[in-house]
Amino acid sequence: MGGEDVKLLGLWASPFPMRVSISLNLKGIKYTSSEESLEAKSELLLKSNPVYKKIPVLIHKDRPLCESLIIVQYIDDVWAASGQSILPADPYDRAIHRFWAKYFDEQIIATTGAIIRMRVKTEEEIAAAIAQMKTVLEQLEEVFEKCSKGKSFFGGDSIQYLDIALGSFWSWIKVIELLIGSKILEEKKIPLLVRWGEKFCAHDAVKDSMQDVEKLLEYAKRRQTFFENAPPAQ
């Protein structure tokens, strides 16, 4: 299904387009992808997302959609009869998935972004960032135990919305560990989440989209150099 009328504007290193590609894979939707550049954004990207000028953008039948989690929900709605459901069927469960996905974005991703952009530099700042990330992951360990009901994913037997939101960032968490020289994914503290991450990354809908950690580390170092040498904001 899908094909020429479905196009994804993204960047291999970004976790946000990965959310879209995983969702399309789960639904069995064929699509084309276009690799964007952060330094030289295409006219199509600027035209498709004139407000934020960011990836990802999903173009479906010449109509653009922006913001990764909004796109994931759109995919689930439009192709409801294809593949598996991405959002849980129960309204309460859907709300729980949305809540924790939003919380993850506000906490873990914001902290990681600060590290990459060289806004977190001192030992004290790094220690605070590590502590904050560990606290969030320990909370998500409890959430996983409740949502999974002893099964493999937050969605139970299948990957769903919260799996996609967190899992798309798994390689980046490992990169942050290497950049700061400290373990964040501690199996003693979050054993369920660590095992979940391994299963998520090995899933057929995910494995071809997941970034190589070493390659991503080199990319992260280049971005840090870029931000370190950038002139201060006016």
Side-chain angles (χ1 to χ4, degrees):
M1 296 185 63
E4 294 182 357
D5 62 343
V6 182
K7 185 172 186 176
L8 172 60
L9 309 184
L11 175 68
W12 73 269
S14 173
F16 304 110
M18 189 189 305
R19 291 172 170 176
V20 180
S21 64
I22 291 170
S23 300
L24 291 169
N25 291 342
L26 287 171
K27 290 289 186 177
I29 305 302
K30 294 181 180 179
Y31 65 98
T32 59
S33 58
S34 176
E35 187 77 1
E36 291 289 331
S37 168
L38 296 179
E39 283 72 39
K41 297 176 182 179
S42 71
E43 290 185 13
L44 179 59
L45 173 60
L46 297 176
K47 176 183 176 182
S48 301
N49 189 357
V51 176
Y52 294 117
K53 302 178 176 63
K54 293 180 179 180
I55 54 170
V57 174
L58 182 73
I59 302 175
H60 181 214
K61 296 181 179 179
D62 295 321
R63 297 181 299 179
L65 292 126
C66 310
E67 297 298 299
S68 63
L69 292 178
I70 291 174
I71 298 173
V72 169
Q73 294 179 58
Y74 174 85
I75 291 169
D76 200 33
D77 288 339
V78 170
W79 290 285
S82 301
Q84 65 176 70
S85 295
I86 294 173
L87 281 158
D90 181 82
Y92 179 80
D93 291 340
R94 286 202 301 270
I96 293 298
H97 275 238
R98 288 187 178 118
F99 174 88
W100 287 106
K102 184 175 185 292
Y103 181 74
F104 178 81
D105 279 8
E106 290 173 344
Q107 302 296 321
I108 295 285
I109 293 182
T111 301
T112 300
I115 293 171
I116 298 299
R117 289 175 173 80
M118 302 302 290
R119 295 171 183 166
V120 173
K121 294 182 179 181
T122 67
E123 289 185 8
E124 291 78 9
E125 289 172 339
I126 291 173
I130 294 170
Q132 190 266 347
M133 292 178 76
K134 286 182 177 181
T135 297
V136 173
L137 290 171
E138 287 170 15
Q139 289 175 313
L140 289 168
E141 174 86 356
E142 296 178 8
V143 174
F144 177 81
E145 188 171 14
K146 293 177 182 177
C147 289
S148 67
K149 298 178 175 65
K151 297 181 180 180
S152 296
F153 302 105
F154 282 93
D157 288 321
S158 61
I159 288 175
Q160 289 190 327
Y161 186 83
L162 186 52
D163 295 284
I164 294 169
L166 273 62
S168 61
F169 212 75
W170 209 243
S171 289
W172 269 107
I173 295 177
K174 293 181 178 180
V175 166
I176 294 300
E177 289 181 329
L178 295 170
L179 286 174
I180 62 180
S182 180
K183 193 69 174 174
I184 297 170
L185 300 172
E186 297 181 281
E187 191 164 4
K188 288 184 178 180
K189 295 287 185 68
I190 50 170
L192 299 177
L193 213 54
V194 169
R195 288 195 291 273
W196 162 83
E198 293 172 353
K199 292 176 182 177
F200 178 85
C201 294
H203 193 280
D204 286 343
V206 176
K207 59 186 180 183
D208 290 338
S209 298
M210 188 63 62
Q211 307 106 326
D212 176 78
V213 172
E214 290 302 320
K215 182 180 178 183
L216 194 60
L217 176 62
E218 292 305 313
Y219 173 85
K221 289 178 178 178
R222 292 196 300 271
R223 295 302 296 168
Q224 281 192 319
T225 299
F226 171 82
F227 286 114
E228 193 168 28
N229 296 329
Q234 299 297 319

